[in-house]
């Protein structure tokens, strides 16, 4: 083969694995392949074949510039440029139109830490967890309930009706010591839980503030400053209407520590909580106005008909911002929830407290249906394991329901700070809606009657014909759809339903 006729060759490996390609035997003629040159090793034949690739060459720079400058291409470029900017302007105009015509989001209300979740009263530390050190070890369990504040004590030194024994800055030996209390504060703050101290002076006696002579000599403000320096986030006092009347200057000094607080300096606001046995809306309003407390625990929901409960809620909600409202049934003196309302209504009461507009307040053990025994300070039950016929199983059911509803409240704006819309109330039943801006709405229906089913005919411009079940105090399947115009609520049953926002 001459150099002029020589062509580029490629090596191709032909692996003789196909059945028709049998091994060669000596003396047999080779196949009539045009092989040149040929090399063979171990059954693999390398063959050189011509390279048939076709090479393409583009336009040169000079040729491109010449074509690009022709009138046709210039017009095309200008047309594309104009289309690009028209499209961009069109998208901009569309975005502006969407922003202008889209519904405006309502600004979030100003709230305090005590408005974001339940407060949890631990009136007797020894009954709850043996001492303050034990209490510190239970903070994680309370965090799982979405508790936002612990109301601890009283734990200070005091003897019943003996003002001379009072020491508001010393912790009683029965409760623990200052170091243990510091552990409680640190454990709680680590989990975003605030600590409120019940500093009611004569908590072991008949009158929470002793008598008038003793009240005037109390050194209350220095004690408050001491505990604030220790990291306490607020205080609770029983009988606030008495102290504000008997010693107005003393109470004014107390209020001065809490008035006009801001969080601009990075410090968390401190809360002042009062407790009164008043139950009528007018009496509650009078105490709120006179004392100036941030929250007031009352008897508004205690041992009353559904009609009275609905009236009290509507009256107070229309008078005050819901950030000033607190809802409780039991308490350190009133007793535990299960003992006040009965075990059959524990879940219904939990659902009520966790869905009303304001701050829910529970006594320790209310989440498991703990009942008062010989005292108002029964021993807390922590091990809820047991079979289906033991009280432990019922406690576990209460705990699961409380935890589920509290978790829902912590996530939903309609439940946390939404508007309150009453739909129905009677002697034994009430229904209301919690709604916020464009968020999902929640309808709560409650029946206090012990043996009669109530049929609610709910019609309102703000609610649809049907709604879906979220929770129920009994075993209704979640996501079941109910007709709101014929909503049947069984005896001692509470139901939470949901429906979407529609413009």
């Amino acid at each position: 083969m001459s150099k002029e006729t020589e062509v580029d060759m490629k090596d191709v490996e032909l692996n003789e694995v196909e059945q028709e390609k049998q091994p060669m035997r000596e003396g047999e003629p080779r196949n009539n392949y045009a092989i040149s040159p040929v090399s063979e090793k171990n059954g693999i034949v390398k063959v050189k074949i011509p390279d048939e690739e076709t090479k393409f060459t583009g336009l040169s720079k000079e040729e491109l510039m010449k074509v690009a400058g022709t009138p046709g291409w210039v017009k095309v470029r200008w047309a594309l440029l104009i289309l690009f900017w028209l499209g961009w302007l069109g998208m901009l105009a569309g975005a502006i139109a969407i922003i202008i015509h889209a519904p405006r989001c309502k600004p979030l209300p100003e709230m305090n830490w005590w408005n974001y979740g339940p407060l949890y009263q631990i009136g007797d530390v020894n009954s709850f967890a043996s001492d303050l050190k034990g209490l510190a070890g239970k903070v994680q369990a309370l965090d799982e309930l979405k508790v936002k504040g612990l109301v601890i004590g009283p734990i200070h030194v005091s003897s019943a009706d003996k003002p001379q024994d009072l020491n508001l800055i010393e912790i009683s030996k029965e409760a623990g010591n200052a170091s243990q209390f510091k552990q409680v504060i640190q454990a709680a703050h680590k989990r975003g839980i605030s600590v409120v101290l019940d500093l009611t002076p004569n908590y072991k006696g008949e009158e929470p503030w002793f008598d008038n002579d003793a009240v005037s000599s109390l050194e209350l403000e220095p004690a408050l400053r001491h505990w604030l320096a220790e990291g306490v986030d607020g205080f609770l006092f029983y009988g606030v209407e008495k102290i504000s009347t008997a010693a107005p200057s003393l109470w004014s000094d107390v209020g001065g520590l809490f008035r006009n607080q801001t969080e601009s300096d990075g410090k968390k606001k401190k809360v002042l909580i009062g407790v009164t046995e008043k139950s009528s809306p007018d009496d509650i309003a009078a105490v709120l106005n006179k004392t100036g407390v941030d929250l007031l625990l009352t008897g508004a929901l205690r041992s009353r008909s559904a009609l009275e409960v609905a009236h009290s809620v509507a009256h107070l909600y229309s008078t005050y911002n819901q950030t000033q409202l607190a809802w409780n049934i039991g308490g350190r003196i009133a007793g535990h929830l299960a003992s006040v309302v009965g075990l059959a209504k524990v879940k219904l009461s939990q659902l009520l407290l966790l869905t009303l507009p304001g701050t829910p307040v529970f006594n320790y053990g209310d989440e498991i249906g703990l009942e008062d025994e010989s005292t108002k300070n029964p021993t807390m039950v922590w091990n809820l394991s047991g079979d289906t016929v033991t009280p432990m199983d019922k406690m576990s059911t209460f705990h699961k329901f409380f935890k589920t509803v509290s978790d829902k409240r912590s996530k939903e704006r309609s439940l946390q700070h939404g508007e309150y819309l009453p739909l129905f109330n009677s002697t034994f039943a009430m229904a209301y809606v919690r709604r916020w801006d464009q968020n999902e709405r929640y309808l709560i229906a409650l029946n206090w009657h012990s043996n009669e089913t109530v049929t609610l005919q709910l019609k309102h411009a703000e609610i649809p014909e049907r709604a879906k079940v979220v929770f129920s105090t009994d075993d209704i399947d979640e996501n079941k759809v109910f007709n709101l115009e014929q909503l049947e609520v069984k005896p001692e049953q509470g139901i939470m339903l949901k429906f979407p926002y529609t413009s």
Side-chain angles (χ1 to χ4, degrees):
M1 186 181 302
S2 65
K3 291 183 179 181
E4 291 77 16
T5 60
E6 187 177 13
V7 296
D8 293 337
M9 309 294 285
K10 287 185 178 178
D11 288 347
V12 178
E13 293 186 356
L14 302 177
N15 195 339
E16 295 180 347
V17 296
E18 298 165 39
Q19 293 183 358
E20 67 270 20
K21 296 180 180 179
Q22 302 294 325
M24 295 182 182
R25 296 180 177 87
E26 187 176 354
E28 289 185 357
R30 294 181 177 270
N31 293 332
N32 295 324
Y33 295 137
I35 302 174
S36 179
V38 175
S39 62
E40 180 179 350
K41 184 178 181 181
N42 296 329
I44 297 175
V45 180
K46 292 185 177 180
V47 183
K48 291 186 177 181
I49 60 176
D51 184 358
E52 297 181 357
E53 289 184 355
T54 302
K55 294 183 178 179
F56 296 95
T57 59
L59 297 175
S60 65
K61 180 179 179 181
E62 291 77 10
E63 290 172 325
L64 285 171
M65 294 300 295
K66 182 178 179 182
V67 173
T70 59
W73 279 110
V74 171
K75 291 179 181 179
V76 169
R77 286 202 305 274
W78 275 107
L80 291 174
L81 183 62
I82 292 170
L83 286 174
F84 168 79
W85 284 109
L86 287 175
W88 187 88
L89 291 172
M91 288 188 293
L92 178 62
I96 293 173
I98 291 173
I99 293 172
I100 292 174
H101 291 94
R104 301 276 179 135
C105 291
K106 184 183 293 187
L108 295 177
E110 183 178 349
M111 295 175 65
N112 304 296
W113 62 260
W114 56 85
N115 303 129
Y116 285 98
L119 301 185
Y120 192 89
Q121 273 190 289
I122 305 171
D124 187 275
V125 173
N126 303 106
S127 297
F128 181 73
S130 71
D131 58 14
L132 288 169
K133 183 178 179 180
L135 195 162
K138 300 299 183 183
V139 170
Q140 179 179 348
L142 301 179
D143 184 33
E144 292 173 357
L145 298 177
K146 304 303 178 184
V147 167
K148 292 303 177 186
L150 305 180
V151 183
I152 299 174
I155 57 175
H156 58 265
V157 172
S158 180
S159 298
D161 304 317
K162 294 181 179 180
Q164 66 272 17
D165 294 341
L166 179 65
N167 189 333
L168 291 172
I169 63 174
E170 183 180 346
I171 296 175
S172 67
K173 293 180 180 179
E174 296 84 6
N177 55 53
S179 176
Q180 292 175 349
F181 187 55
K182 194 69 176 178
Q183 291 177 28
V184 172
I185 294 174
Q186 291 173 347
H189 285 179
K190 185 177 180 180
R191 294 184 175 274
I193 299 175
S194 300
V195 175
V196 177
L197 190 60
D198 184 340
L199 213 60
T200 305
N202 190 30
Y203 64 97
K204 294 181 179 180
E206 292 296 324
E207 290 290 333
W209 292 89
F210 300 106
D211 54 37
N212 287 343
D213 293 335
V215 166
S216 60
S217 62
L218 282 176
E219 295 185 357
L220 187 57
E221 186 181 350
L224 298 183
R225 293 188 182 277
H226 166 79
W227 290 116
L228 289 173
E230 291 296 313
V232 166
D233 301 300
F235 301 94
L236 178 143
F237 295 100
Y238 279 75
V240 287
E241 66 270 33
K242 176 180 178 179
I243 183 65
S244 61
T245 301
S249 60
L250 175 65
W251 188 250
S252 178
D253 291 339
V254 171
L257 293 176
F258 298 87
R259 227 173 277 120
N260 302 320
Q261 294 184 85
T262 63
E263 296 185 357
S264 58
D265 58 356
K267 295 181 180 179
K268 183 164 61 176
K269 291 182 70 174
K270 310 301 182 183
V271 65
L272 180 60
I273 304 174
V275 183
T276 180
E277 292 304 308
K278 304 294 185 183
S279 58
S280 75
D282 290 335
D283 289 342
I284 292 169
V287 176
L288 270 170
N289 295 336
K290 184 175 181 58
T291 61
V293 294
D294 296 302
L295 295 175
L296 183 65
L297 309 189
T298 72
L301 306 181
R302 195 175 301 139
S303 302
R304 310 186 78 193
S305 69
L307 192 63
E308 292 173 312
V309 168
H311 173 68
S312 296
V313 173
H315 181 88
L316 291 170
Y317 177 77
S318 64
T319 307
Y320 298 96
N321 189 304
Q322 65 175 287
T323 58
Q324 297 176 268
L325 300 179
W327 304 107
N328 66 292
I329 294 176
R332 178 168 64 84
I333 294 177
H336 285 75
L337 180 65
S339 295
V340 176
V341 303
L343 283 173
K345 295 184 176 70
V346 167
K347 285 185 181 180
L348 182 149
S349 300
Q350 290 175 345
L351 183 60
L352 172 70
L353 291 171
L354 288 166
T355 57
L356 286 178
T359 300
V361 183
F362 293 90
N363 203 0
Y364 78 91
D366 284 350
E367 74 276 19
I368 61 171
L370 187 66
E371 295 180 277
D372 296 327
E373 297 167 351
S374 57
T375 70
K376 299 291 179 66
N377 301 312
T379 301
M380 180 63 176
V381 178
W382 292 105
N383 183 10
L384 300 180
S385 61
D387 57 48
T388 57
V389 297
T390 64
M392 299 299 182
D393 182 71
K394 186 170 287 188
M395 286 183 171
S396 180
T397 302
F398 290 148
H399 181 270
K400 180 180 179 181
F401 184 78
F402 182 100
K403 183 178 179 180
T404 303
V405 180
S406 185
D407 182 69
K408 190 70 173 178
R409 184 191 187 279
S410 71
K411 296 176 180 178
E412 298 294 335
R413 289 179 176 174
S414 291
L415 294 173
Q416 200 167 80
H417 53 251
E419 300 160 349
Y420 172 80
L421 175 65
L423 295 177
F424 176 88
N425 57 75
S426 68
T427 305
F428 293 104
M430 68 181 290
Y432 52 92
V433 166
R434 298 297 307 282
R435 61 184 182 182
W436 177 258
D437 198 21
Q438 301 169 45
N439 293 270
E440 200 159 39
R441 275 83 164 108
Y442 292 91
L443 189 154
I444 294 85
L446 309 164
N447 179 12
W448 276 267
H449 206 290
S450 300
N451 48 38
E452 289 187 11
T453 296
V454 176
T455 300
L456 307 182
Q457 298 177 343
L458 303 179
K459 295 181 181 180
H460 194 280
E462 295 291 330
I463 67 173
E465 293 182 0
R466 297 177 178 275
K468 187 181 295 185
V469 172
V470 183
F471 306 124
S472 172
T473 56
D474 57 10
D475 296 326
I476 294 179
D477 293 336
E478 291 185 15
N479 298 321
K480 183 177 180 180
V481 177
F482 277 90
N483 179 2
L484 298 182
E485 294 184 7
Q486 291 291 322
L487 178 61
E488 290 189 354
V489 187
K490 298 176 184 177
E492 299 174 332
Q493 183 187 39
I495 308 174
M496 178 193 286
L497 304 104
K498 66 179 179 180
F499 57 92
Y501 162 80
T502 55
S503 56

